[in-house]
Amino acid sequence: GAGVSQTPSNKVTEKGKYVELRCDPISGHTALYWYRQSLGQGPEFLIYFQGTGAADDSGLPNDRFFAVRPEGSVSTLKIQRTERGDSAVYLCASSLYSGASTDTQYFGPGTRLTVL
Amino acid sequence: KQEVTQIPAALSVPEGENLVLNCSFTDSAIYNLQWFRQDPGKGLTSLLLIQSSQREQTSGRLNASLDKSSGRSTLYIAASQPGDSATYLCAVENSGYALNFGKGTSLLVTP
């Protein structure tokens, strides 16, 4: 079956521009997560959706970052006025439930964002 | 705030050796601990998930242990192969959803 997919795989943009990153979770997974992985670091949590609502967005670094999941499936991470420090790999994951100790998160291949 | 540390940062071994990767965490109030594998340019693949009530999990040549009270986990890889070369990430779940990752151990298995 299809796994988590993310588009684009690579995105190069200029400082100050707006970007959108898309995540298609595994069908039927109600929970969706965004993480950011900088070079040489482990992924860092950004935001978690349960269904259509953002249950926890405490990991978003500032108000330039915003994410939506309007129909409880596809999610879009939006970054306004991009800065060079936003350059990283943005990973999306989904899971069947949340709050269960056996709930495995399945990750997509990521979008590599480069801000020039 | 949960801090996850992985040692060593990098490891190179000849094919066939058994090896141990270490993970430590500061907050023992966890839901579970997971070990992931990450290949260059690719996403993460879950290898093993240990629930907070469990002590270990096994899958093929992989065995992961958890000592929650001391805040430690180990990933044991038996009879390593060149195809095992990748970065191995340890992640702890405290909240029921957000994973806290270490920086990973980069493993190279040479033929």
Side-chain angles (χ1 to χ4, degrees):
Chain A
V4 178
S5 62
Q6 293 186 246
T7 55
S9 56
N10 281 284
K11 177 70 176 178
V12 180
T13 190
E14 294 180 344
K15 179 176 180 293
K17 299 291 188 183
Y18 168 83
V19 297
E20 289 189 351
L21 312 179
R22 176 187 169 108
C23 172
D24 283 81
I26 293 173
S27 178
H29 280 192
T30 61
L32 185 144
Y33 318 79
W34 284 98
Y35 293 84
R36 178 169 72 173
Q37 186 173 24
S38 301
L39 193 63
Q41 305 293 316
E44 293 180 311
F45 169 77
L46 296 178
I47 186 169
Y48 151 64
F49 287 89
Q50 181 61 268
T52 60
D56 185 348
D57 63 358
S58 63
L60 295 177
N62 52 60
D63 61 6
R64 295 186 298 104
F65 289 75
F66 188 72
V68 296
R69 194 186 185 201
E71 298 179 356
S73 179
V74 170
S75 176
T76 304
L77 178 65
K78 307 180 180 189
I79 310 174
Q80 298 177 322
R81 304 184 304 280
T82 52
E83 300 178 356
R84 293 191 180 88
D86 298 335
S87 297
V89 176
Y90 289 81
L91 296 165
C92 176
S94 69
S95 66
L96 192 56
Y97 306 106
S98 70
S101 63
T102 57
D103 196 21
T104 297
Q105 296 183 23
Y106 296 88
F107 282 77
T111 292
R112 181 176 298 278
L113 175 65
T114 303
V115 182
L116 301 177
Chain B
K1 181 178 181 290
Q2 178 71 271
E3 300 288 340
V4 181
T5 303
Q6 291 189 245
I7 295 173
L11 181 63
S12 179
V13 300
E15 181 177 8
E17 277 203 5
N18 304 324
L19 58 99
V20 174
L21 308 182
N22 297 289
C23 172
S24 62
F25 49 95
T26 55
D27 183 352
S28 62
I30 65 172
Y31 274 67
N32 61 51
L33 182 145
Q34 298 181 57
W35 284 92
F36 290 87
R37 169 183 173 141
Q38 186 171 34
D39 293 280
K42 297 188 178 181
L44 281 65
T45 301
S46 180
L47 298 173
L48 291 165
L49 182 152
I50 311 176
Q51 297 178 55
S52 62
S53 59
Q54 297 176 324
R55 295 300 297 264
E56 67 176 343
Q57 282 287 342
T58 298
S59 176
R61 295 182 293 107
L62 305 180
N63 175 276
S65 67
L66 173 64
D67 184 341
K68 199 172 66 166
S69 61
S70 68
R72 296 183 181 183
S73 175
T74 61
L75 178 66
Y76 175 83
I77 303 177
S80 58
Q81 303 171 357
D84 294 331
S85 299
T87 295
Y88 291 81
L89 292 159
C90 170
V92 174
E93 185 174 329
N94 287 99
S95 61
Y97 48 89
L99 294 175
N100 292 281
F101 285 87
K103 292 183 179 181
T105 293
S106 178
L107 173 65
L108 176 64
V109 181
T110 56

